[in-house]
Amino acid sequence: MNDKEWFILQYMHRDDGNWKTRDTVLLSNKKGLTESKAERSIRENLLDEDGHFFPLEAGLQILDGCEHDWHEFVHIEFVRDDESLFNLKPLMDISDLIGKLGKSKKKHASCTQLHNAGVLPSFPRLVSEVLSVLHELWTALYAYRGKVVLVAIHLDDFHTIEKTLEMDSESSAFDSEIRRSLKRGLKRMVEVDIKPLFDLRKRLMRIQKETK
């Protein structure tokens, strides 16, 4: 084994808006694999031809997603005698990575739905999740009987506006009726977490893709 031979692996996570988060890790090369052999072995052990895998099962870090989100293999590069790498500690050996990917592929190959039952839930579970998300929205909307408007706003901005309205509602500079209206509006505001909508959309999109 040459202690001055490594591989640099790059992988990424792609969110619903096609925003990509990337990471690069250093891998040792104890068995002296060539770049072409290493890449071929990795691709043979990914979950599909698009290069997907689950990071935790491969010993890699989750990138801006969750453990059930697919990550994508980008490329692997062989490096030798690169002084910029001398002080870095390899995350693992390339052979260990290939072994972990292989185990992950075998684990999910037996699933009847896609590659992972955790990614695509059973039909009853999916129905339950859809109803849960719809119930949360319905609870927020029902009290207004069609008189509500939905506004998309970043949570930090919302809290700033909310705090400003709270201070305005106490200000003597405002007409008493306006202050009462502000207090009434603040009391009736409902904060709804939209993350379940994104998670649900991911699941439904994967089901749609696999059933075409």
Side-chain angles (χ1 to χ4, degrees):
M1 182 195 83
N2 190 336
D3 291 333
K4 294 185 179 181
E5 292 183 353
W6 302 273
F7 282 106
I8 293 177
L9 171 77
Q10 186 176 103
Y11 66 105
M12 71 178 185
H13 173 262
R14 188 194 309 264
D15 67 13
D16 287 338
N18 202 34
W19 180 265
K20 304 176 186 69
T21 304
R22 300 174 183 269
D23 194 18
T24 301
V25 297
L26 181 67
L27 304 171
S28 59
N29 185 26
K30 296 178 180 178
K31 294 184 178 180
L33 300 182
T34 62
E35 183 174 306
S36 59
K37 171 64 175 176
E39 179 159 354
R40 183 168 64 253
S41 297
I42 287 174
R43 293 194 178 279
E44 287 174 351
N45 288 285
L46 295 171
L47 295 177
D48 56 29
E49 294 181 355
D50 294 325
H52 292 116
F53 67 93
F54 295 109
L56 290 185
E57 296 181 10
L60 298 174
Q61 179 182 353
I62 297 172
L63 305 179
D64 194 27
C66 73
E67 63 179 295
H68 297 307
D69 277 350
W70 281 348
H71 284 46
E72 299 176 40
F73 169 74
V74 179
H75 71 81
I76 190 138
E77 179 184 355
F78 179 82
V79 290
R80 178 191 287 116
D81 296 331
D82 189 333
E83 293 184 3
S84 65
L85 302 175
F86 288 170
N87 294 324
L88 297 180
K89 182 179 179 180
L91 179 65
M92 70 180 91
D93 190 73
I94 181 69
S95 298
D96 293 333
L97 173 68
I98 294 170
K100 290 177 185 292
L101 290 171
K103 288 181 180 179
S104 178
K105 182 176 182 178
K106 289 180 181 179
K107 172 183 175 182
H108 301 300
S110 60
C111 293
T112 57
Q113 292 183 324
L114 222 177
H115 302 287
N116 190 328
V119 175
L120 288 185
S122 64
F123 186 72
R125 178 182 165 195
L126 181 63
V127 170
S128 176
E129 290 182 357
V130 172
L131 290 176
S132 177
V133 172
L134 291 178
H135 177 71
E136 185 176 359
L137 288 174
W138 178 253
T139 300
L141 300 177
Y142 180 74
Y144 299 98
R145 302 295 180 92
K147 296 181 180 180
V148 66
V149 60
L150 295 179
V151 178
I153 184 171
H154 192 281
L155 186 60
D156 291 342
D157 296 333
F158 171 75
H159 286 162
T160 299
I161 294 172
E162 183 181 32
K163 186 64 177 178
T164 301
L165 290 175
E166 287 177 354
M167 291 187 293
D168 288 345
S169 70
E170 301 297 332
S171 173
S172 59
F174 281 82
D175 178 82
S176 59
E177 181 60 32
I178 294 177
R179 291 205 307 272
R180 283 195 294 271
S181 296
L182 284 173
K183 288 182 178 180
R184 184 173 62 249
L186 287 168
K187 188 175 181 180
R188 292 197 298 183
M189 279 198 305
V190 177
E191 184 177 319
V192 178
D193 182 10
I194 64 170
K195 186 178 184 301
L197 289 174
F198 286 97
D199 294 339
L200 183 60
R201 179 173 179 266
K202 285 182 180 180
R203 293 171 184 264
L204 293 175
M205 288 177 65
R206 287 168 183 165
I207 290 177
Q208 182 184 50
K209 178 180 178 181
E210 291 301 313
T211 54
K212 282 184 177 180

